[in-house]
Amino acid sequence: RILDLIKTGLSTTDQIELTRLPDEDPQAHRLLAQSYDLFLKGDFKGALLLCEKIKKIDPENRNLYKRLGNVYDRLGDRDKALSAYFKYAELCKKSNDLRNLFNAYINIGGMIQMMGDEDLAYKYFQTALQGALVSGFSYETAKAYTLMGSWYVKKKDFVKAKELFFKSIEINKENLPDENHLYYLAANYNELGVTFENEQNYSEA
């Protein structure tokens, strides 16, 4: 929230520079910002081309591999997406970036779940949750609760699923108007609707 206030009134170039990590190459950081704009517009191939340029400039850039994982996911290449997320986690460990490490575990778990290994996916979600709780990272905690809740919906344990969704809702409400928490608050209500629908409680859904 403080960073958002500081960025108010700054040029786009200055805003981008303000969010650069101390060990991050300035040119790579600017290209990452451009790749994110392309990603949001749905130009995943364009974003991928920029990521390949960044890899030549700053091959140890952990945010690069997070972006690559997201891009490959949207392009439907789950193997490459998973590989990128593992590299993301590896670099986060190397730099002791715990917040991004737990995000990496969440992304790895989500990809593994889509690839069909539910039990291994749960282990990654659980590891991320435990780390985020201890570290006091509200967004990562809420995100992990949401994904674990969805995991329980698939297992038809609707009581446990609702318990986790409501925990995520509580955290997200406490951290509004942060846009990440707003996104997951919406996701929580959507998932709750799905859960109640599965219970045939249609009015509540």
Side-chain angles (χ1 to χ4, degrees), residues 103-160:
N103 258 309
Y105 286 154
I106 288 168
N107 289 346
I108 289 169
M111 190 55 55
I112 287 172
Q113 186 176 37
M114 284 194 286
M115 295 169 82
D117 193 335
E118 294 284 345
D119 293 339
L120 184 57
Y122 186 85
K123 288 179 181 178
Y124 276 101
F125 294 149
Q126 193 171 44
T127 301
L129 175 63
Q130 290 169 347
L133 280 170
V134 170
S135 303
F137 298 146
S138 62
Y139 169 63
E140 289 72 21
T141 301
K143 190 175 179 181
Y145 275 139
T146 302
L147 291 171
M148 288 173 72
S150 300
W151 188 92
Y152 277 105
V153 170
K154 290 183 178 180
K155 295 292 183 180
K156 300 192 182 301
D157 187 342
F158 303 127
V159 172
K160 184 66 177 179

Side-chain angles (χ1 to χ4, degrees), residues 189-202:
Y189 286 129
N190 184 66
E191 293 285 359
L192 272 174
V194 171
T195 307
F196 282 117
E197 185 180 24
N198 274 284
E199 292 180 318
Q200 298 185 343
N201 187 345
Y202 299 117

Side-chain angles (χ1 to χ4, degrees), residues 10-201:
L10 295 178
S11 69
T12 302
T13 302
D14 288 338
Q15 287 184 30
I16 291 169
E17 177 58 26
L18 192 64
T19 58
R20 182 169 64 86
L21 297 171
D23 59 349
E24 194 172 16
D25 180 270
Q27 186 184 359
H29 184 68
R30 287 192 294 272
L31 289 172
L32 264 174
Q34 292 174 30
S35 74
Y36 186 59
D37 289 338
L38 293 175
F39 181 84
L40 290 178
K41 292 173 183 174
D43 184 359
F44 305 127
K45 290 184 178 178
L48 182 59
L49 286 174
L50 281 181
C51 287
E52 292 302 327
K53 287 184 180 180
I54 297 164
K55 195 183 288 187
K56 293 176 182 177
I57 300 166
D58 189 8
E60 297 288 288
N61 188 308
R62 51 195 180 276
N63 286 322
L64 162 63
Y65 294 95
K66 177 183 180 181
R67 181 66 38 75
L68 272 171
N70 293 343
V71 168
Y72 280 127
D73 178 21
R74 298 306 190 279
L75 290 171
D77 193 332
R78 291 176 178 173
D79 288 329
K80 286 186 177 179
L82 186 59
S83 178
Y85 289 144
F86 273 121
K87 182 67 175 179
Y88 173 38
E90 176 192 324
L91 292 172
C92 289
K93 277 185 182 178
K94 187 176 177 181
S95 60
N96 199 34
D97 184 349
L98 295 180
R99 184 186 294 276
N100 272 307
L101 177 60
F102 303 142
N103 258 309
Y105 286 154
I106 288 168
N107 289 346
I108 289 169
M111 190 55 55
I112 287 172
Q113 186 176 37
M114 284 194 286
M115 295 169 82
D117 193 335
E118 294 284 345
D119 293 339
L120 184 57
Y122 186 85
K123 288 179 181 178
Y124 276 101
F125 294 149
Q126 193 171 44
T127 301
L129 175 63
Q130 290 169 347
L133 280 170
V134 170
S135 303
F137 298 146
S138 62
Y139 169 63
E140 289 72 21
T141 301
K143 190 175 179 181
Y145 275 139
T146 302
L147 291 171
M148 288 173 72
S150 300
W151 188 92
Y152 277 105
V153 170
K154 290 183 178 180
K155 295 292 183 180
K156 300 192 182 301
D157 187 342
F158 303 127
V159 172
K160 184 66 177 179
K162 287 186 288 185
E163 176 191 328
L164 294 170
F165 291 141
F166 280 119
K167 283 183 178 181
S168 186
I169 284 171
E170 184 179 350
I171 294 167
N172 288 320
K173 281 184 173 180
E174 286 174 356
N175 288 277
L176 294 177
D178 180 281
E179 64 180 20
N180 289 319
H181 285 284
L182 185 62
Y183 174 88
Y184 269 94
L185 182 60
N188 295 150
Y189 286 129
N190 184 66
E191 293 285 359
L192 272 174
V194 171
T195 307
F196 282 117
E197 185 180 24
N198 274 284
E199 292 180 318
Q200 298 185 343
N201 187 345

